[in-house]
Amino acid sequence: MKITVYLGSHEGSDPFLKEAVKELGVWIAENNHILVYGGSKIGLMGELIITSDLQDRKRKMIELGDAFIAFPGGTGTLDEITEIMTKVALKQINTPCIVYNLNGYYDSLKVLLDHMIEMGLSTSDKQEKIYFANNLSEI
């Protein structure tokens, strides 16, 4: 399985974040999955794909992914994972969208998505493939 992972460009202040990222990387490798990620440095897994711009990079990461995981991150990470949520809601992709809710980072997003349903602006059907995981075992 090709797993697209989104995360911030900064390490953040939660020391557990770096450990959780390493833990997921090890799990992906041990289970013979393929990591898909976008970044400015050349990685050790797979071939480097050069894209023309940010939109092209996002399109390619979506095209390659069989599942999508968002770690805590900034506005870029939020942009990327909400695009996946939209594609899931519109049934443009049929893959899991996993929000890694490390130490409750995405609690407010979960509340907002639930509120959208309560207000009749979304449905549970549109959000059925959006999952919130608190740790690797839930993923």
Side-chain angles (χ1 to χ4, degrees):
M1 179 184 321
K2 294 178 184 171
I3 301 173
T4 299
V5 177
Y6 301 110
L7 47 100
S9 58
H10 300 284
E11 287 190 26
S13 60
D14 185 344
F16 189 65
L17 177 58
K18 190 172 185 178
E19 291 305 312
V21 170
K22 285 181 186 177
E23 184 181 45
L24 179 67
V26 168
W27 180 85
I28 288 172
E30 287 178 346
N31 288 280
N32 297 314
H33 297 303
I34 296 169
L35 172 65
V36 177
Y37 68 99
S40 59
K41 295 186 179 178
I42 296 173
L44 299 174
M45 305 176 89
E47 293 179 3
L48 173 66
I49 299 172
I50 308 259
T51 58
S52 60
D53 57 25
L54 178 61
Q55 293 304 319
D56 190 32
R57 182 190 83 167
K58 287 170 49 178
R59 251 187 317 277
K60 192 64 175 175
M61 290 175 69
I62 292 168
E63 174 188 313
L64 292 173
D66 298 316
F68 300 87
I69 301 173
F71 273 89
T75 54
T77 304
L78 185 61
D79 170 56
E80 291 169 322
I81 202 61
T82 54
E83 182 171 356
I84 299 302
M85 289 178 183
T86 301
K87 290 184 176 299
V88 165
L90 296 173
K91 309 278 190 238
Q92 293 176 348
I93 58 175
N94 186 28
T95 59
C97 172
I98 302 166
V99 180
Y100 201 143
N101 193 28
L102 184 70
N103 294 331
Y105 185 82
Y106 284 114
D107 283 350
S108 297
L109 180 58
K110 173 81 170 102
V111 169
L112 178 60
L113 291 172
D114 290 343
H115 185 62
M116 290 174 181
I117 294 171
E118 292 166 9
M119 296 298 295
L121 299 170
S122 184
T123 65
S124 56
D125 180 55
K126 288 184 183 276
Q127 296 184 21
E128 72 178 328
K129 292 220 177 247
I130 300 171
Y131 305 99
F132 284 77
N134 296 309
N135 53 56
L136 181 59
S137 65
E138 290 182 8
I139 291 175

